[in-house]
Amino acid sequence: MSSLFGSLDAGKNALLAQQVGLDVVGQNIANATTEGYSRQRVDFESLPPTRFGQLFVGGGVGIKDIRRVFDQQIENRLQQSMSALGGLARQKDSYDQLERSMNALADDPAAGQYVSVGGQIEQFFNELQNLASDPSSPAFRSIFISRAESMSSTVSNLAKDVLSLRASLNESVDGVVKDINRITAEIAQLNEQVVSAEVGGAISGQANDLRDRRDLLLRKLAELTEFNAHEN
């Protein structure tokens, strides 16, 4: 009779363990497109056997752990790459705005049209050379004055654009600082929740969903600033 009960108990344990496995598979499928989600897997283990006379009968299978399929080394490299990419993207955006202000690609030398700062300066010195060759020429004087006024206006407008760009970048820095503070505050809360859920490391299981959220926030933080993260 005890053998029968042992067999039934082993079967029950196997069904419960496989049910957990199916639940984890369903969780993985449901979150296949969820940002920051790490696929989870179930680690099974053989349960302690039961003594039956001179023999030991296995107790079936149980759940050892449900863990994330996660590589910390790859995650660290990803954070570093995202940090570098974020910095380069912000630099490119600033340079693109400055390039539009310089208007360097708007010149049309074939038509004699120069609207960029470089083109205006080049025209200014060309007319200065023409005037130097014949200072008494009213035509050269008039053209030179016109070029000088045009260059002065272009440089003045460029200075205003650069100052405006500078102010805009300063405002964006303030926004980035607020985002960093918000993200780090949430990471601090998650740290406490992870420690609480895992009983300060006293249990072998991990709070997978909390860790996924924390790693996602670290990636977002990497897009804003460089940092090194260590877990104690």
Side-chain angles (χ1 to χ4, degrees):
M1 184 64 69
S2 60
S3 176
L4 176 60
F5 287 147
S7 298
L8 292 175
D9 195 47
K12 180 196 70 174
N13 292 334
L15 289 174
L16 292 175
Q18 297 303 324
Q19 179 62 52
V20 173
L22 290 175
D23 291 342
V24 172
V25 171
Q27 173 78 351
N28 290 335
I29 294 174
N31 289 277
T33 59
T34 299
E35 183 183 15
Y37 179 79
S38 298
R39 185 169 60 89
Q40 301 179 12
R41 59 171 295 174
V42 179
D43 290 339
F44 298 97
E45 66 176 353
S46 177
L47 295 177
T50 302
R51 190 181 186 91
F52 184 70
Q54 300 298 320
L55 305 175
F56 291 92
V57 179
V61 65
I63 302 296
K64 180 181 180 181
D65 194 10
I66 300 175
R67 58 188 177 87
R68 300 187 297 164
V69 180
F70 181 81
D71 190 316
Q72 187 62 55
Q73 295 294 332
I74 294 178
E75 182 66 21
N76 291 341
R77 293 176 59 184
L78 176 61
Q79 291 175 7
Q80 293 173 2
S81 298
M82 294 179 70
S83 179
L85 179 61
L88 292 174
R90 286 190 293 274
Q91 287 185 19
K92 180 182 181 300
D93 182 61
S94 300
Y95 290 146
D96 286 345
Q97 295 181 58
L98 184 59
E99 183 180 36
R100 287 193 292 270
S101 298
M102 297 290 290
N103 212 14
L105 301 179
D107 292 337
D108 187 2
Q113 296 179 352
Y114 294 90
V115 295
S116 69
V117 175
Q120 293 282 330
I121 293 176
E122 182 179 353
Q123 277 194 314
F124 172 80
F125 283 105
N126 287 339
E127 297 303 334
L128 180 60
Q129 289 181 351
N130 292 336
L131 180 60
S133 65
D134 188 2
S136 60
S137 172
F140 285 162
R141 289 182 180 180
S142 177
I143 294 175
F144 174 75
I145 292 174
S146 176
R147 296 303 183 197
E149 291 175 346
S150 178
M151 185 189 71
S152 176
S153 176
T154 300
V155 172
S156 177
N157 291 333
L158 175 61
K160 293 178 182 178
D161 290 342
V162 171
L163 290 175
S164 176
L165 175 59
R166 179 181 179 181
S168 176
L169 292 175
N170 287 336
E171 291 179 0
S172 68
V173 169
D174 291 339
V176 169
V177 171
K178 292 179 181 178
D179 289 339
I180 291 175
N181 291 336
R182 174 182 55 80
I183 292 174
T184 52
E186 186 174 351
I187 290 175
Q189 293 178 352
L190 286 169
N191 286 338
E192 296 179 357
Q193 293 174 13
V194 168
V195 172
S196 177
E198 298 175 358
V199 199
I203 62 175
S204 59
Q206 291 190 348
N208 294 328
D209 293 334
L210 294 175
R211 288 177 174 270
D212 281 347
R213 176 61 182 171
R214 185 174 64 180
D215 288 330
L216 176 61
L217 290 175
L218 288 174
R219 294 178 191 176
K220 293 184 179 299
L221 184 62
E223 296 177 353
L224 302 176
T225 185
E226 294 182 5
F227 66 92
N228 292 316
H230 302 281
E231 183 174 5
N232 295 326

